[in-house]
Structure formats: C-alpha cells, structure tokens
Amino acid sequence: MSERTLKVGLVQQSVADNDKATNWNKSAAKIAELAEQGAELILLQELHSTLYFCQNEDTDAFDLAEPIPGPATAFFGEIAEQHNIVLVTSLFEKRGSGLYHNTAVVFDRSREIAGKYRKMHIPDDPGFYEKFYFTPGDMGFEPIQTSVGKLGVLVCWDQWYPEAARLMAMAGAEILFYPTAIGWDMTDTSDERKRQHDAWHTIQRAHAVANSVPVVVANRTGFESSPTEGDPGIQFWGRSFIAGPQGEILAQASSDREETLLVDIDMTRTEQVKRIWPYFRDRRIDAYDDLVKRWRD
C-alpha cells in the first residue's frame, strides 16, 4: 500500500463585529500562514464572516446573507486559487427571497466552486435560534470531490448525529469536516461547561472511530454579547481539533485564543484501520429498517 500524506489545517478565530471585509481579511491572513507552511487543505469555522447573529430573532439580520456565488465566494475563491489550496468556507446563503441556508462552500485550488453543503440539522435553543434563519438543507449527505479526495462536509449541529457522519462515509468521504460555532451560556456552572465540552469532543471523535476516517473541527473562540438586554451572551469555547481514524487527537487548539492548527494526516491509515476494524462489513443492514422512523412506538 503506497503512502499518502495530506497537510490539513484549520483556523480558529474570534469575531468582533459584522464588518465582513475585516473578518475576511483576518481569515485570509491565517490562511496565508498555513499555506506558507505547506497546508493543502484548510477549514474555516461556521459563519466566519460575521458575529453569530442567531442569539436572537431579528429580521434585519437577514441583510447579512448573500447569494452563492456572491461577494464572499469571489473573495475566498481568489484566496484558494492564489495559494493553490482546497478551502472549506461557511456562509449565510440567500437562496431566494425569504429563503436562507447555513451553507458550506468548497473551493479546489481555483475560484470555481467545487461543491457546497447546506446544513441539514437546524437547532432552536435559547441563544441559538437557527430555525428562525435557516431552512434545512435539501442536498442530502453527499461528499464533495476535490483534488485531495472526497470531503464529507457537515455543519455544527450535524455533529451530534451519527447518521450524518455514517452516510457521508458510506458515500466515500475520506475526511469529515465540521465548521462549528458552539460555546457556553455564561450562567452555566463550571461542571456543566465541562460536561458540555466533553460531550461535544466525544461525539465527534466517535464519528472518526465508527467510520475509520479523520475528523477536522473548526470552532470559533471569544465572547459575543447578546443583542437582547439581560441575556448573558455566549463564550465560544474554541478547542478546535483534528482527530485520526481511531479518534486519536492529532492537534487541539486552546479555548480562548485565535489559533491555527496544521497536521500531516496519513491517509493510508484509513484503509489499514478498516481492515483491522471492519465495521462496514459487519453492519446488519437487514435489521436497521426502523432507523428511518422518528421513534419506535
């Protein structure tokens, strides 16, 4: 089996305001740093162009959305071409009048869009009112073919669903990517914060284990106040990480700093691990019919 190594990077950053140009240029500078270090594939965090506007329900926030293609895809497509990299971005997509999605867009060493994925699972919780803004995706769980392989791109809340990761892997995804924006309610206790973070960390490492593929997770960091008076705001917990196909942590960022991560991923290990742990061989697909039901009443 011939060896194949891929240099994969991610950007973890904070967002201070809704000035897209400032935020794009900050991302561009970090992308340039990673590219200079040899990164071939780079992931940005969820909704990196603006503040996390879903802390409340505000129709004016729809003004932040843009079409695809549009200004953001033009900017990041040029960056991907300039640095000759595969780039995974995350945008607030205006698909049509009154129709919006939370969409990941992938560029493959060019200004042209290689593919996109619309977030399928949409949360609706205090401080995370995403159902107000985003229509659930309608593109299914389809990997995006690039020059470095098939990428299984999912988005944030998708990270809690083993079905999504499994379907991407079953379609040939060689790496799973999760741009995300998750943090703590400032009123949470320290014990609750630890439980939440550990659950988030564990579930995504489990996707790597269950599917024998690397997982790359880019989360934002920093505090973002709520537009609603009296609400505590969100402390995004950072802790972006890259895991190998057995869930082993290859690199992890801090909780409170803007950082980049860069890892050499041995892509041949996926095949080696699948030969030793043949989960796909042993799946009992004849007994899983009820998985398509909401509940087994």
Side-chain angles (χ1 to χ4, degrees), residues 13 119 174:
Q13 65 187 73
K119 186 174 182 177
E174 297 174 70

Side-chain angles (χ1 to χ4, degrees), residues 104 106 114-118 120 138-146 149-154 158 163-176:
V106 178
K116 61 186 178 183
Y117 165 81
R118 291 182 176 131
M120 292 283 279
D138 56 359
M139 301 179 72
F141 301 104
E142 296 294 334
I144 297 169
Q145 182 67 59
T146 72
K150 279 189 174 182
L151 313 185
V153 182
L154 297 158
D158 293 326
E163 301 91 339
R166 177 71 88 199
L167 287 169
M168 283 291 192
M170 287 173 63
E174 297 174 70
I175 306 178
L176 297 177

Side-chain angles (χ1 to χ4, degrees), residues 100-117:
Y100 303 84
H101 294 281
N102 186 333
T103 304
V105 181
V106 178
F107 301 91
D108 187 5
R109 306 180 189 274
S110 112
R111 299 168 190 244
E112 300 302 317
I113 295 172
K116 61 186 178 183
Y117 165 81

Side-chain angles (χ1 to χ4, degrees), residues 159-160 162 178 194-210 215 217 237 239 241 243 246-249 252:
Q159 67 210 356
W160 300 100
Y178 293 95
K194 184 178 187 306
R195 286 191 293 266
Q196 289 179 8
H197 173 266
D198 287 352
W200 174 82
H201 203 241
T202 301
I203 190 70
Q204 292 174 102
R205 291 178 66 192
H207 299 327
V209 174
V215 168
V217 183
W237 65 45
R239 304 295 284 177
F241 69 93
Q246 289 176 290
E248 68 275 24
I249 299 300
Q252 181 155 333

